[in-house]
């Protein structure tokens, strides 16, 4: 999975973020994407090969694995990271649109410094504030949804060592053993903790933006 | 190594703004830990589970025995170690960038204030300066050519705390590795866990090669720990030396004219006084010259610091900044258009400076003319 493209896109958004947004982005890249790529993918690498069932019945192992792991943790995390990063693209699109508008005005004869245009940092005000705030809101929603999906799908966050399976064509209730359960539990809890931290950062950023705009409005009226 | 590029990019920036020992530590991290882990150790541990053999036909016994023997694989443990040990540097980096950004914002506000006041005052020369100053402040104070931050005040504290936390993390992970696995890996592991019917002999794959890497990574961790401690000692020793020299109140002739950020400079920074007026006036053709990008002003600054140090020995600033990473960038850059509302202390300093006009190379009579 090539996360470099995502890094390139989100790097552009970084310039127009608040400080908390920048911290969130750093946490996302180092504690989530990097851990996923460097460590977690290896841990889950042999999850089906080393899923062993106490039976000689052909097909039983396949069916049991599929029953207990409908979608692998790794793929769920990858989806979570993509969904959580996507709202930032809204902000990137908005900024690109404003730059485009400025370029259009420049072409129509207004005096705008073209160099400055490339490096201009847009302040989070007006319509951009709404785009930015809604992107944070969506990020929060996606994080919460994925955390719930994990909990619902795997009955909690701990990886069991032994699962009892009686799906067809297994002849009876068969013991199946998961590969590396302790290591998987460790990483699941780690990713959960980092998700929680990211959610708190998003909440803090949301509160900061709302308070800032309220203070500005009150200053205008007084 | 491409997978480590996320962390690598961030640490490159930290590398630019570290002390010498910090740079050595980062190099050790990059080469002896990340690179070795990414290339050699990964392939050595690649078949750790597939070649973990147990002397039993019982299905599931190998799985559970492997899980009991290796609750977390060495490679993943080292990955977590590297990440947690690098994290404090990132926090320091964040603080430094935040400081720079706040400085830029403050300078911009000052420049704006000055521009507004000069609109009423009507001095065209200052207006020109102010607009130029405004533009200068918009430049990123972080990435100017050779620009680095000078460690002082709260930034220095963050740096020290980051090293302390880093040291604590190193110790925690070294101890953790010892608690989990001891030092060496045995070839034979005897396992008694359901569904294994009885104690079963299990054989670890490539134990000698793994031991070599374990010892290597342990040695590098200990080396990093020593480097962190050395950095702490270096910082602490300089701080103590500074405190001693301040407490003995050295005479003017012996006070070294170092640019190692005198406490007065730190206090001066807290009150944010602008540079001397003669710097505004000294440029021959009225063009704005960024003071720290030319040698003349830099020398002037050296002299200023020396005189400040000499005449302000009684000022006990809490944390004497004793770390320098560069001479180039200082927070007092570019706000040439001084806000007229100086704090009281600043005028005291100014008087002191003009008393010591002999110490500076610039003519001081200009001060009074303004």
């Amino acid at each position: 999975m090539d996360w470099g493209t995502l890094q390139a896109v989100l790097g552009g958004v970084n310039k127009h973020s608040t400080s908390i947004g920048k911290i969130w982005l750093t946490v996302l890249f180092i504690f989530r994407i990097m851990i996923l790529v460097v460590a977690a993918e290896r841990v889950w690498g042999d999850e089906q090969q080393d899923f062993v069932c106490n039976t000689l019945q052909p097909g039983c192992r396949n069916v049991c694995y599929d029953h207990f792991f409908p979608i692998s943790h790794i793929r769920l995390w990858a989806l979570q990271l993509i969904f959580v990063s996507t709202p930032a693209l809204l902000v990137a699109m908005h900024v690109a649109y404003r730059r485009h508008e400025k370029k259009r005005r420049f072409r129509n004869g207004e005096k705008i410094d073209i160099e400055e245009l490339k490096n201009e940092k847009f302040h989070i005000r007006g319509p951009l504030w709404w785009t930015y705030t809604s992107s944070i809101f969506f990020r929060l929603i996606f994080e919460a949804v994925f955390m719930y999906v994990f909990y619902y799908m795997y009955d909690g966050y701990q990886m069991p060592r032994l699962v009892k399976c009686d799906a067809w064509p297994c002849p009876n209730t068969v013991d199946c053993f998961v590969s590396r359960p302790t290591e998987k539990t460790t990483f699941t809890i780690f990713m959960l903790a980092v998700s929680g931290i990211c959610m708190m950062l998003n909440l803090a950023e949301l509160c900061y933006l709302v308070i800032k705009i309220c203070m500005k409005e009150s200053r205008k009226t007084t | 190594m491409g997978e480590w590029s996320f962390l690598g990019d961030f640490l490159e920036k930290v590398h630019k703004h570290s002390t010498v020992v910090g740079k050595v530590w980062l190099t050790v991290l990059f080469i002896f830990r990340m690179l070795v882990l990414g290339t050699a150790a990964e392939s050595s541990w690649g078949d750790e589970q597939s070649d973990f053999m147990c002397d039993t036909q019982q299905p599931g016994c190998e799985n559970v025995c492997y899980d009991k023997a290796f609750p977390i694989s060495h490679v993943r443990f080292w990955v977590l170690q590297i990440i947690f040990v690098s994290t404090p540097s990132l926090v320091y980096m964040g603080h430094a960038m935040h400081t720079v950004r706040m400085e830029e914002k403050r300078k911009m506000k000052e420049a704006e204030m000055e521009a507004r006041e000069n609109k009423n005052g009507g001095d065209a020369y200052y207006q020109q300066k102010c607009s130029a100053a405004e533009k200068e402040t918009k430049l990123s104070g972080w990435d100017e050519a050779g620009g680095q931050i000078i460690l002082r005040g709260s930034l220095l504290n963050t740096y020290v705390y980051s090293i302390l936390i880093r040291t604590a993390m190193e110790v925690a992970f070294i101890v953790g590795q010892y608690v989990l696995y001891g030092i060496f890996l045995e070839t034979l592991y005897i396992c008694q866990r359901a569904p294994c019917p009885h104690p079963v002999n299990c054989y670890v794959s490539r134990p000698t090669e793994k031991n070599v890497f374990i010892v290597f990574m342990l040695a590098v961790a200990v080396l990093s720990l020593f480097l962190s401690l050395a950095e702490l000692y270096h910082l602490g020793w300089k701080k103590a030396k500074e405190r001693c020299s301040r407490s003995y109140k050295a005479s003017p002739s012996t006070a070294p004219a170092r640019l190692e950020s005198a406490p007065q400079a730190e206090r001066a920074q807290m009150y944010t006084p602008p540079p001397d007026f003669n710097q505004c006036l000294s440029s021959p053709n009225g063009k704005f010259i960024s003071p720290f990008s030319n040698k003349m002003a830099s020398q002037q600054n050296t002299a200023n610091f020396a005189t400040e140090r000499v005449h302000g020995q009684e000022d006990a600033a809490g944390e004497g900044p004793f770390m320098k990473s560069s001479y180039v960038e200082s927070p007092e850059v570019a706000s040439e258009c001084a806000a007229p509302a100086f704090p009281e202390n600043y005028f005291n300093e100014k008087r002191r400076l003009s008393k010591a006009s002999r110490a500076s190379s610039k003519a001081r009579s200009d001060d009074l003319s303004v």
Side-chain angles (χ1 to χ4, degrees):
Chain A
M1 251 175 264
D2 180 23
W3 295 98
T5 330
L6 191 69
Q7 187 185 25
V9 171
L10 291 180
V13 178
N14 199 21
K15 250 200 314 184
H16 307 276
S17 302
T18 61
S19 304
I20 306 178
K22 290 183 179 146
I23 297 173
W24 175 84
L25 213 65
T26 311
V27 168
L28 183 82
F29 276 112
I30 294 183
F31 288 95
R32 295 175 87 174
I33 296 182
M34 217 186 91
I35 289 274
L36 187 73
V37 170
V38 173
E41 269 182 359
R42 302 247 153 68
V43 177
W44 269 264
D46 56 5
E47 55 179 326
Q48 194 175 9
Q49 276 162 273
D50 284 338
F51 183 78
V52 172
C53 286
N54 190 2
T55 180
L56 285 174
Q57 171 66 42
C60 178
R61 195 176 71 104
N62 280 26
V63 166
C64 289
Y65 176 79
D66 186 61
H67 182 256
F68 284 101
F69 301 103
I71 175 167
S72 166
H73 285 72
I74 294 281
R75 261 71 71 183
L76 258 181
W77 280 325
L79 277 175
Q80 180 178 13
L81 289 170
I82 289 171
F83 272 91
V84 153
S85 314
T86 307
L89 296 179
L90 281 174
V91 177
M93 275 165 29
H94 191 142
V95 165
Y97 169 74
R98 278 183 51 179
R99 281 224 180 96
H100 179 76
E101 283 291 301
K102 270 206 158 175
K103 262 195 208 155
R104 200 168 53 83
R105 278 191 283 152
F106 177 72
R107 262 188 248 123
N108 292 346
E110 270 186 52
K111 294 227 168 208
I112 295 172
D113 184 5
I114 197 87
E115 271 306 311
E116 208 185 285
L117 185 71
K118 281 186 201 156
N119 301 328
E120 185 179 358
K121 181 191 155 164
F122 291 104
H123 287 284
I124 302 175
R125 298 188 196 120
L128 188 61
W129 184 89
W130 284 103
T131 311
Y132 196 80
T133 314
S134 48
S135 82
I136 299 177
F137 182 71
F138 278 115
R139 259 189 241 162
L140 270 168
I141 302 279
F142 286 137
E143 292 268 22
V145 163
F146 272 95
M147 278 168 85
Y148 176 70
V149 164
F150 257 105
Y151 186 81
Y152 177 73
M153 223 185 248
Y154 294 108
D155 251 335
Y157 296 109
Q158 201 198 7
M159 182 67 76
R161 202 163 71 219
L162 163 73
V163 289
K164 292 193 184 283
C165 168
D166 60 1
W168 184 87
C170 303
N172 45 50
T173 306
V174 154
D175 286 344
C176 291
F177 299 92
V178 177
S179 126
R180 309 184 205 243
T182 313
E183 204 167 355
K184 285 178 178 168
T185 308
T186 309
F187 275 98
T188 307
I189 293 177
F190 180 86
M191 294 295 268
L192 183 74
V194 180
S195 272
I197 291 172
C198 284
M199 277 181 85
M200 285 198 293
L201 283 170
N202 284 330
L203 264 171
E205 199 176 2
L206 204 60
C207 295
Y208 167 74
L209 284 170
V210 168
I211 289 171
K212 198 166 128 181
I213 207 91
C214 287
M215 280 176 64
K216 236 183 207 162
E217 292 298 312
S218 66
R219 243 184 276 145
K220 268 193 204 159
T221 51
T222 55
Chain B
M1 257 308 258
E3 304 157 341
W4 288 95
S5 62
F6 294 123
L7 189 60
D9 291 341
F10 284 106
L11 290 178
E12 285 288 341
K13 283 190 208 148
V14 180
H15 194 263
K16 254 204 316 177
H17 302 94
S18 297
T19 63
V20 174
V21 185
K23 287 186 168 109
V24 173
W25 180 85
L26 273 164
T27 310
V28 165
L29 184 83
F30 278 128
I31 295 181
F32 291 103
R33 292 171 105 169
M34 284 182 181
L35 189 63
V36 167
L37 194 68
T39 55
E42 289 272 7
S43 45
S44 183
W45 266 263
D47 56 4
E48 56 177 332
Q49 193 177 8
S50 51
D51 283 341
F52 183 80
M53 297 291 176
C54 286
D55 189 5
T56 180
Q57 293 269 352
Q58 172 64 41
C61 182
E62 256 178 30
N63 275 26
V64 299
C65 286
Y66 175 81
D67 185 57
K68 192 175 179 201
F70 300 107
I72 178 168
S73 166
H74 284 83
V75 174
R76 258 73 69 186
F77 187 82
W78 288 326
V79 165
L80 285 174
Q81 181 177 14
I82 290 174
I83 288 177
F84 277 97
V85 149
S86 313
T87 304
S89 307
L90 299 176
V91 172
Y92 157 70
M93 186 64 190
H95 185 196
M97 296 189 93
H98 178 76
T99 309
V100 168
R101 198 172 150 187
M102 290 293 119
E103 276 296 320
E104 282 176 6
K105 271 191 181 163
R106 183 189 54 78
K107 276 178 250 163
M108 266 175 69
K109 281 204 181 110
E110 272 180 18
E112 274 173 29
M113 254 172 54
E114 180 61 29
R116 240 178 281 137
E117 288 191 25
N118 277 340
K119 239 181 240 170
N120 310 330
D123 190 304
Y125 177 74
Y126 274 107
Q127 273 182 341
Q128 182 190 17
K129 280 283 195 132
C130 284
S131 55
E134 218 172 310
K135 256 198 185 149
E136 283 291 328
T137 57
K138 274 182 188 155
L139 285 172
S140 157
W142 188 252
D143 285 322
E144 288 180 28
Q148 295 174 329
I149 47 159
I150 294 180
L151 284 172
R152 64 178 86 186
S154 67
L155 196 60
L156 179 64
N157 281 345
T158 311
Y159 192 73
V160 170
Y161 290 144
S162 77
I163 299 178
L164 281 169
I165 295 174
R166 192 168 89 193
T167 312
M169 291 281 180
E170 288 276 19
V171 170
F173 273 93
I174 291 173
V175 168
Q177 185 173 341
Y178 180 76
V179 164
L180 272 174
Y181 299 114
I183 300 180
F184 293 108
L185 223 52
E186 298 292 315
T187 313
L188 172 69
Y189 177 76
I190 296 175
C191 165
Q192 166 86 76
R193 205 191 207 191
C196 303
H198 48 255
V200 151
N201 288 348
C202 293
Y203 302 94
V204 174
S205 127
R206 307 182 206 241
T208 312
E209 196 173 351
K210 286 181 174 156
N211 280 331
V212 167
F213 278 107
I214 288 170
V215 168
F216 178 84
M217 293 299 272
L218 211 55
V220 173
V222 168
L223 173 67
S224 293
L225 184 64
F226 276 129
L227 285 170
S228 300
L229 290 171
E231 200 169 0
L232 274 175
Y233 170 75
H234 174 71
L235 293 173
W237 178 73
K238 279 208 159 191
K239 192 171 186 175
K241 194 174 156 192
E242 189 122 320
R243 276 226 177 106
C244 283
S245 64
R246 239 187 295 146
S247 67
Y248 285 133
K249 290 197 184 170
S251 63
S253 55
T254 58
R258 295 184 312 203
L259 198 59
E260 259 138 39
S261 311
Q264 294 72 30
E266 196 239 311
R267 203 169 46 82
Q269 185 210 341
M270 270 156 49
Y271 294 123
T272 66
D276 284 315
F277 284 114
N278 59 0
Q279 281 182 351
C280 289
L281 304 172
S282 65
S283 51
N285 49 2
K287 224 171 43 159
F288 176 81
I289 301 168
S290 170
F292 292 98
S293 61
N294 82 41
K295 246 173 103 180
M296 182 172 71
S298 179
Q299 284 166 3
Q300 173 66 59
N301 204 34
T302 317
N304 286 350
F305 279 133
T307 53
E308 281 171 359
R309 251 185 98 70
V310 159
H311 292 284
Q313 291 289 347
E314 68 274 14
D315 300 326
E319 49 275 321
F322 49 86
M323 255 315 311
K324 67 173 197 311
S325 30
S326 143
Y327 298 94
V328 179
E329 157 90 23
S330 152
E332 290 125 304
V333 117
S335 110
E336 302 292 33
C337 314
F342 296 132
E344 201 186 0
N345 266 320
Y346 178 70
F347 279 111
N348 289 338
E349 283 184 359
K350 282 287 290 178
R351 268 183 239 126
R352 266 188 249 134
L353 286 167
S354 51
K355 247 197 244 171
S357 63
R358 260 174 278 122
S360 77
S361 53
K362 289 274 145 208
R364 291 281 178 171
S365 55
D366 288 329
D367 295 339
L368 301 169
S369 67
V370 176

